[in-house]
Amino acid sequence: MSGLKIAIDGPSGSGKSTLGKALAQRLCIPYVDTGAMYRAISWAVDDAGLNDDVEQIVAYVQNLQLKISPDSARFQVWVNEIDVTDWLRQPDVGRMAAKVATIKEVRAWMVPLQRAAAIDGGVLEGRDIGTVVLPDADFKFYITSDESTRMLRRAEQMGHKEVVAEVVSDVHERDRVDSTRKHSPLRPATDAVHIDTSSQTVAESLGLMLEEINRQ
Ligand code: DC
């Protein structure tokens, strides 16, 4: 299966990371979490004290050195040789990432890095993979699930046992920003296979994806 390029997109909490990792493991190909790449540069932007000045953010980002290890067991990201992996899941990094990811020049800088990561094949997971990063991917999946399921998954990721107001506002705000931004908004590619994971186990959704891949 080497050389195979698989695009996975969908909103936060849809289950796309879990499925992306499982699929990459099953097919023995690299896994690239493109959201973590946006989170990493956003962490750096915040660390540098840059908040709202788009020109400054763009100039700063264009001089960053971003390195990844495309491994489904532990996807790691370095910014200017600093391993930032453990800091990326914090909610404020996610909010900052959604904001930084709206900037056209930042996306133009990021997309070639993501394409390079997939040069020998891999599962790339994000928001614009099927539409922009890998329009010629061998397979494209668009993962969704109903809002209450996404809220619960997000709560778990954020370390809560139940859905609390912080989770609701986080999910709503990220959905709004990611799907309404002007450049590369979250959209299913026209040729993507849609999978609704609301009432499926991981094994069931993964089974559907593998069926699709093995069919061709
Ligand atoms: O998947 P995630 O929550 O780690 O993504 C963090 C943010 O990065 C998300 O709000 C949208 C943005 N993102 C993007 O714009 N394009 C991608 N391919 C991946 C993520």
Side-chain angles (χ1 to χ4, degrees):
M1 287 289 181
S2 75
L4 204 61
K5 293 182 187 177
I6 300 179
I8 303 186
D9 294 295
S12 1
S14 57
K16 63 185 188 310
S17 300
T18 307
L19 289 171
K21 286 178 196 161
L23 193 60
Q25 253 158 40
R26 186 64 79 88
L27 300 173
C28 299
I29 57 177
Y31 162 78
V32 180
D33 176 353
T34 64
M37 295 169 81
Y38 281 102
R39 284 172 184 261
I41 57 162
S42 305
W43 173 86
V45 164
D46 189 48
D47 191 56
L50 305 174
N51 275 315
D52 289 313
D53 188 321
V54 171
E55 258 178 50
Q56 276 188 349
I57 293 176
V58 170
Y60 180 73
V61 166
Q62 285 172 340
N63 284 304
L64 285 177
Q65 210 197 337
L66 188 68
K67 203 176 87 189
I68 59 166
S69 80
D71 184 344
S72 53
R74 181 165 158 76
F75 183 81
Q76 272 177 284
V77 194
W78 292 261
V79 178
N80 293 345
E81 306 292 330
I82 302 170
D83 183 351
V84 296
T85 313
D86 287 343
W87 305 324
L88 302 183
R89 301 318 305 177
Q90 292 161 14
D92 42 338
V93 177
R95 279 190 283 272
M96 185 73 187
K99 209 166 102 181
V100 171
T102 61
I103 304 172
K104 185 173 142 210
E105 292 83 354
V106 168
R107 304 197 72 85
W109 177 85
M110 186 65 97
V111 168
L113 296 181
Q114 296 172 341
R115 286 191 184 136
I119 198 90
D120 296 321
V123 173
L124 263 69
E125 174 241 305
R127 305 291 192 291
D128 61 339
I129 309 301
T131 51
V132 176
V133 180
L134 298 179
D136 299 327
D138 298 289
F139 297 96
K140 296 180 185 177
F141 295 100
Y142 191 78
I143 313 295
T144 53
S145 61
D146 61 38
E147 192 175 272
S148 57
T149 311
R150 296 200 296 117
M151 296 274 180
L152 274 171
R153 288 182 184 146
R154 195 83 202 152
E156 264 170 40
Q157 281 172 359
M158 289 166 75
H160 298 290
K161 288 206 171 64
E162 57 195 32
V163 176
V164 293
E166 186 196 0
V167 175
V168 176
S169 86
D170 185 74
V171 172
H172 282 159
E173 182 56 9
R174 295 252 258 117
D175 281 355
R176 188 189 67 75
V177 176
D178 293 345
S179 52
T180 60
R181 69 180 176 222
K182 190 166 166 210
H183 309 291
S184 314
L186 170 65
R187 293 267 184 284
T190 47
D191 50 349
V193 173
H194 291 238
I195 296 184
D196 182 343
T197 65
S198 312
S199 51
Q200 290 175 356
T201 63
V202 173
E204 285 168 341
S205 306
L206 184 63
L208 289 175
M209 294 168 102
L210 288 167
E211 228 174 75
E212 186 63 34
I213 293 167
N214 290 330
R215 205 192 338 254
Q216 300 189 20

